[in-house]
């Protein structure tokens, strides 16, 4: 180990001295400003100036001799010749320039691609940093979808607690569904319904008179009613101050139990065909999530009728997962496609990561899809652990 440390120290000092070699020799006495000025005046440099230049040259020769000695010692310790070591240094510099060129080319290509894609494919939203950022994005997406006539929607939040950031380890909620609902699901759902403004066009006479003067956009009154507390499920209701034509309801954490199908069907009838009903973070992916249940043999069929035949399109979603050890996130906001990102260390800030755009997908991206993209990207050629080791050694982690 001590031999290796000597080798590294000697090689480093030799490289520094070699870097200054050419500049040292190029600084001849005749090129000094003092000499030029004195020559123009028709005089000769003073003896003290000549002595200083002589001393400087002696110092340069000593440094160069020391550099040569260090290079030779480093070569002996490494079992290589000085020529071989210098060739390796030159090769490493060339490799670094090539890596930088590859990264720059990839960035230019992405910028050109982003400038020419369709609006529905465009990268238009940043990755939300926290819960409030999700709420603002989700409210905008829900309102756009409602304006396009989509009155049955699904929203899937990244379940963050207050003050929790998007990056980092996923929250396991050791307290189970009750903790997940209490600390994340309910606060996010209530905040969303406070933000959303979705006014039905089919208002009653009294409401029509109120709406004719313009909807106030005042915050609604939001209440929560538990369905099953041990499931952490509830119905969130936002009552508009402008009348029931602006009311919105959301069902939080419904699962594949047939009770929720009955509840959703009942709420659907109460809301009507022209007002907004949201399913917030339901515990199913598709109709296949209803497997065979001897106690509810028609569960899958009922789910198709109650939920999937009625729409409940995903209008906003944030999905977090790990691929190849990289923290990744996919964002969906109506009417745009899924946007894929992976977090990478920000070289400008210590212990900070920034999301890197990977592309878009019409369907919800899978881990295998993102893994393939990561393998093709120069920024993620090294694993996260390898990049950290390279930075600790003071090397470029590209």
């Amino acid at each position: 180990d001590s031999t290796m440390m000597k080798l590294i120290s000697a090689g480093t000092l030799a490289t520094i001295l070699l870097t200054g070699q050419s500049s040292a020799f190029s600084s001849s006495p005749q090129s000094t400003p003092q000499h030029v000025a004195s020559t123009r005046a028709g005089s000769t440099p003073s003896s003290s100036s000549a002595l200083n230049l002589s001393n400087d040259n002696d110092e340069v020769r000593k440094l160069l001799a020391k550099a040569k000695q260090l290079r030779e010692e480093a070569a002996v310790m490494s079992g290589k010749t000085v020529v071989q070591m210098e060739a390796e240094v030159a090769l490493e510099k060339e490799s670094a320039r090539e890596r930088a060129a590859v990264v720059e080319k990839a960035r230019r290509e992405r910028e050109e691609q982003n400038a020419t894609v369709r609006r529905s494919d465009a990268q238009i939203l940043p990755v939300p940093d926290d819960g409030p950022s999700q709420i603002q994005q989700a409210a905008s997406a829900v309102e756009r979808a409602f304006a396009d006539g989509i009155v049955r929607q699904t929203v899937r939040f990244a379940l963050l607690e207050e003050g929790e950031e998007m990056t980092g380890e996923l929250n396991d909620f050791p307290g189970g569904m009750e903790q997940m609902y209490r600390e994340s699901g309910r606060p996010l759902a209530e905040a969303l319904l406070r933000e959303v403004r979705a006014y039905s066009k089919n208002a009653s006479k009294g409401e029509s008179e109120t709406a004719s003067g313009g909807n106030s956009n005042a915050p609604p009154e939001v209440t929560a009613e538990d369905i099953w507390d041990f499931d952490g499920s509830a119905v969130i209701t936002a009552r508009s101050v402008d009348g029931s034509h602006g009311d919105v309801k959301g069902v939080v954490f419904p699962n594949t139990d047939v009770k929720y199908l009955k509840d959703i069907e009942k709420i659907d009838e109460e809301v009507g065909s022209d007002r907004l009903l949201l399913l917030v973070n339901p515990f199913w992916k598709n109709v296949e999530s209803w497997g065979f249940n001897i106690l509810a043999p028609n569960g899958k069929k009922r789910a198709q009728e109650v939920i999937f035949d009625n729409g409940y399109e995903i209008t906003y979603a944030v999905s977090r997962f790990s691929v190849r050890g990289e923290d990744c996130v996919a964002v969906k906001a109506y009417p745009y496609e899924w946007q894929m990102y992976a977090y990478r260390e920000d070289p400008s800030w210590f212990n900070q990561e920034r999301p890197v755009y990977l592309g878009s997908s019409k369907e919800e991206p899978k881990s295998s899809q993102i893994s393939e993209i990561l393998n093709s990207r120069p920024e993620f050629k090294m694993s996260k652990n390898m990049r950290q080791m390279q930075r600790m050694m003071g090397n470029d982690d590209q």
Side-chain angles (χ1 to χ4, degrees), residues 26-37:
S26 64
S27 300
S28 61
Q30 288 77 6
S31 63
T32 60
Q34 296 89 341
H35 180 82
V36 173

Side-chain angles (χ1 to χ4, degrees), residues 15-54:
T15 302
I16 295 172
L17 293 173
L18 271 175
T19 304
Q21 181 177 359
S22 60
S23 59
F25 276 125
S26 64
S27 300
S28 61
Q30 288 77 6
S31 63
T32 60
Q34 296 89 341
H35 180 82
V36 173
S38 62
T39 302
R40 288 177 179 173
S43 62
T44 59
S46 65
S47 59
S48 61
S49 297
L51 179 60
N52 289 336
L53 291 173
S54 176

